[in-house]
Amino acid sequence: MYLLHRIIFTGLIFISWELNAQVALPTFHGVQKTHFTFSGTFTNCGATERNGPTQSQVNSTYTSGNSLYNAVTINTQGIQEWTVPVTGTYKISVWGAQGGPQNGRADDDVSRGGKGAILSGDFSLTQNWVLKIIVGQRGTDSGGGGGTFVAKSDNTALIVAGGGAADCGSCGTQTDAVTSEGDGNGGSATCGSGGGGFNGNGTTSTYGTGGLAFVNGGTGGSGDGNYSHGGFGGGGGASNCCTGGGGGYTGGSASSSCGSNGGYSYNNAAANKTSSVSNTLHGKVTIVFQE
């Protein structure tokens, strides 16, 4: 009888343990992994002409509720520094700025001035990488449009959208930005000034100064007098019909015929590359987490 009671008691303990284990399982498997999302849009933050935004302008633009709130630092004026929050694949899209309108026309006349390039692609980014971002700004009267740049903190280019050349009216021709990459140098000049490239400054001419390279801060070239400045992002400076070339991975040239050329672009994406040339006014950058 004692043996029978012991067997029954042991069996009840085993059944009780098994039921408890089965009840506990759903609680263990019910823990859900937090899903990370990020989507940010970088703009010129209200800055215009040849100089990029200050920290104050950035703070006034990316306010509470914006995904970039307190996440963008300016160490060199105009270059927006952002730290990658999580390792993964991000879609980066860039818009180059439009070239300036013909001297004397309104800056918002989007029918005048070469258009900026638009490129996008998927990039593998590592947590805590710092990205340096220049958002191109439209040139003023006859000044070249600024290129839009995204690079790592060691100045390794990721993606660049060229800026458009300035409008020359009846005295020559201007061109849109192009989607091919060139060699990273600044544009040449014989009338207006060349646009800045990724590594080389644009050539300075008799009229205006060349736009600075990305690695040198990306300031737009100064115009002849108080107008015709190239847009931030390496746009070339100019004077009336001697128009400036667009900034970009390689800067646009300013030819002897008083015309000028748009800047070149660059795309080092691992997948899903796209490109077109249609942007007007200022540039921008979007970064969206994929997975």
Side-chain angles (χ1 to χ4, degrees), residues 59-81:
N59 293 346
S60 296
T61 301
Y62 308 141
T63 54
S64 179
N66 189 303
S67 61
L68 300 179
Y69 178 59
N70 286 340
V72 176
T73 302
I74 302 290
N75 289 309
T76 299
Q77 183 172 345
I79 299 180
Q80 303 182 46
E81 298 186 14

Side-chain angles (χ1 to χ4, degrees), residues 129-156:
W129 276 5
V130 175
L131 300 188
K132 297 166 66 175
I133 297 168
I134 281 181
V135 174
Q137 296 169 193
R138 192 184 188 191
T140 59
D141 292 354
S142 304
T148 294
F149 303 76
V150 179
K152 294 170 59 177
S153 59
D154 63 358
N155 290 334
T156 298

Side-chain angles (χ1 to χ4, degrees), residues 143-145 163-166 192-196 234-237 243-247 251-254 260-263:
S193 294
T243 56
S253 62
S260 55
N261 297 308

Side-chain angles (χ1 to χ4, degrees), residues 38-40 89-93 122 286-291:
F38 175 82
S39 178
T89 299
Y90 293 77
K91 181 182 181 64
I92 303 179
S93 302
D122 292 346
T286 63
I287 300 180
V288 180
F289 179 76
Q290 303 293 292
E291 59 180 7

Side-chain angles (χ1 to χ4, degrees), residues 1 51 74 97 114 126 142 176 200 210 215 265-266 272:
M1 180 64 69
N51 295 305
I74 302 290
T126 300
S142 304
D176 297 334
V215 298
S265 306
Y266 177 82
N272 298 323

Side-chain angles (χ1 to χ4, degrees), residues 6-16:
R6 183 176 180 84
I7 292 173
I8 293 172
F9 179 76
T10 303
L12 289 173
I13 292 176
F14 176 78
I15 292 171
S16 176

